[in-house]
């Protein structure tokens, strides 16, 4: 194991990254919820990753992505997401800290109000990101596919003016981005070993797949499949196709690291029943668990990602699909800025 661990770390170090956030992120126990539910529940605070107060899981990916951008001599980054995208906000923040200009393309799943710009969109404005709002034609990926010509035209203009653009797809979920979560798995393994903790299961939200794919690749590299990995979907996608897309991205990430290992997907599950009614549409049940976590432990999650994932994990615990007395860890991926977004997104939390 020690050998595998140092090999994995060496492979990551060889590729290299920028230091953008505050790592390692803290791991601590949720005492009240643990005793209420007869499990040992821990949380890893990717929501407190920095670089600003409004951190989250994308910073880890950006440490690798923006290193690549700098190495390629780029001075501008393009990225894409919903109007209230956490990924877009974190990319804008991280880009500014390394002297890159953010250009952001936002699909309006929830229509923003010109006279009342909120939450992540407001932060994008403060950061001075060049902002383009696109009419939504379905999922964010579908909206972006429908607007490819606009991106290409803007790249041409910028190139003509002497700029070089680095393109980061939705969620930063490329093999380069996923390296951040290979590193997170290794970090978590070392933290749990230091605390004498044998984790039975790790749960987190999954959207554009880079987070869970990176974790899965990291787990494969150091061969600790006895720790189950559970992804809770935040949007509608065929579960079998979706799961395979995670495995494929994990495989490409391993290849990027120069590993010849095949992704081990035993003890890896994806649940597609907790995002309902849909992406960026609040669920009263998830909102109940957002209140439960806040009122028990003082921790805020959001109605789009981390709250739905936390709710999904709690349901698995209540149903005993995650057995009593298990050592469970929830990765808090961030997103609480959504609590300050449009009413359509926060639902009955204002009650
Ligand atoms: C993006 C995001 C996720 C999902 O991560 P992916 O790598 O896109 O699967 C989870 N939680 C929050 C708060 C996010 O912003």
């Amino acid at each position: 194991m020690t050998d595998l661990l140092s090999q994995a770390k060496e492979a990551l170090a060889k590729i290299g990254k920028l230091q953008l956030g505050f790592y390692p992120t803290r791991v601590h126990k949720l005492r009240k919820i643990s005793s209420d539910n007869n499990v040992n529940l821990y949380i890893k605070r990717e929501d407190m990753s920095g670089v600003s107060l409004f951190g989250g899981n994308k910073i880890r990916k950006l440490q690798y992505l923006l290193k690549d951008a700098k190495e390629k001599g780029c001075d501008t980054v393009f990225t894409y997401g919903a109007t209230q995208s956490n990924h877009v906000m974190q990319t804008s923040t991280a880009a500014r800290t390394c002297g890159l200009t953010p250009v952001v393309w936002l699909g309006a799943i929830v229509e923003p109000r010109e006279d009342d710009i909120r939450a992540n969109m407001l932060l994008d404005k403060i950061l001075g990101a060049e902002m383009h709002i696109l009419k939504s034609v379905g999922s964010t990926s579908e909206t972006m596919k429908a607007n490819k010509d606009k991106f290409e035209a803007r790249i041409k203009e910028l190139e003509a003016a002497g700029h070089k653009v680095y393109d980061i797809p939705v969620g930063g979920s490329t093999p380069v981005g996923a390296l951040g979560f290979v590193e997170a798995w290794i970090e978590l393994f070392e933290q749990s070993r230091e605390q004498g903790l044998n984790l039975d299961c790790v749960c987190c939200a999954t959207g554009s797949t880079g987070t869970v794919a990176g974790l899965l690749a990291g787990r494969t590299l150091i061969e600790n499949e006895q720790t189950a990995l559970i992804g809770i979907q935040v949007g509608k996608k065929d579960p079998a196709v979706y799961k395979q897309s995670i495995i494929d991205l994990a495989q490409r990430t391993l290849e990027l690291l120069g590993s010849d290992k095949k992704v081990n997907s035993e003890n890896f599950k994806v649940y597609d029943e907790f995002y309902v009614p849909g992406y960026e549409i609040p669920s009263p049940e998830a909102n109940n668990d957002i209140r439960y976590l806040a009122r028990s432990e003082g921790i805020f999650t959001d109605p789009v990602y981390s709250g739905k994932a936390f709710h999904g994990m709690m349901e698995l615990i209540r149903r005993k699909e995650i057995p009593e007395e298990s050592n469970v860890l929830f990765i808090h991926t961030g997103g609480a800025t959504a609590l300050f977004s449009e009413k359509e997104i926060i639902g009955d939390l204002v009650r």
Side-chain angles (χ1 to χ4, degrees), residues 57-58 61 86-87 90 171 173 205-212 242 302 305-306 333-335:
N57 64 331
K58 304 308 181 304
K61 301 179 183 181
N86 300 308
H87 162 71
Q90 289 167 78
S173 289
T206 177
S208 70
T209 75
T211 300
V212 169
Y242 182 72
D302 77 276
Y305 288 97
S306 49
T333 44

Side-chain angles (χ1 to χ4, degrees), residues 9 85 92 94 102 118 122 125 137 186 208 245 248 250 255 263 298 303 311 321 325:
K9 285 177 161 181
S85 164
S92 300
R118 289 161 172 261
L122 172 62
K125 290 260 182 196
V137 299
I186 292 167
S208 70
S245 73
D248 292 345
E255 282 158 21
V263 170
H311 166 65
E321 271 183 59
E325 320 255 318

Side-chain angles (χ1 to χ4, degrees), residues 1-11 186 189-190 193 221-223 261:
M1 175 62 89
T2 313
D3 255 13
L4 291 173
L5 208 58
S6 51
Q7 280 165 19
K9 285 177 161 181
E10 260 168 48
I186 292 167
F189 176 81
E190 292 192 303
R193 194 174 56 178
L221 270 182
I222 63 169
E223 296 177 7
K261 280 197 150 74

Side-chain angles (χ1 to χ4, degrees), residues 57-70:
N57 64 331
K58 304 308 181 304
I59 300 293
R60 277 196 197 267
K61 301 179 183 181
L62 289 159
Q63 296 201 113
Y64 287 90
L65 288 163
L66 296 188
K67 160 90 180 338
D68 192 34
K70 292 294 251 188

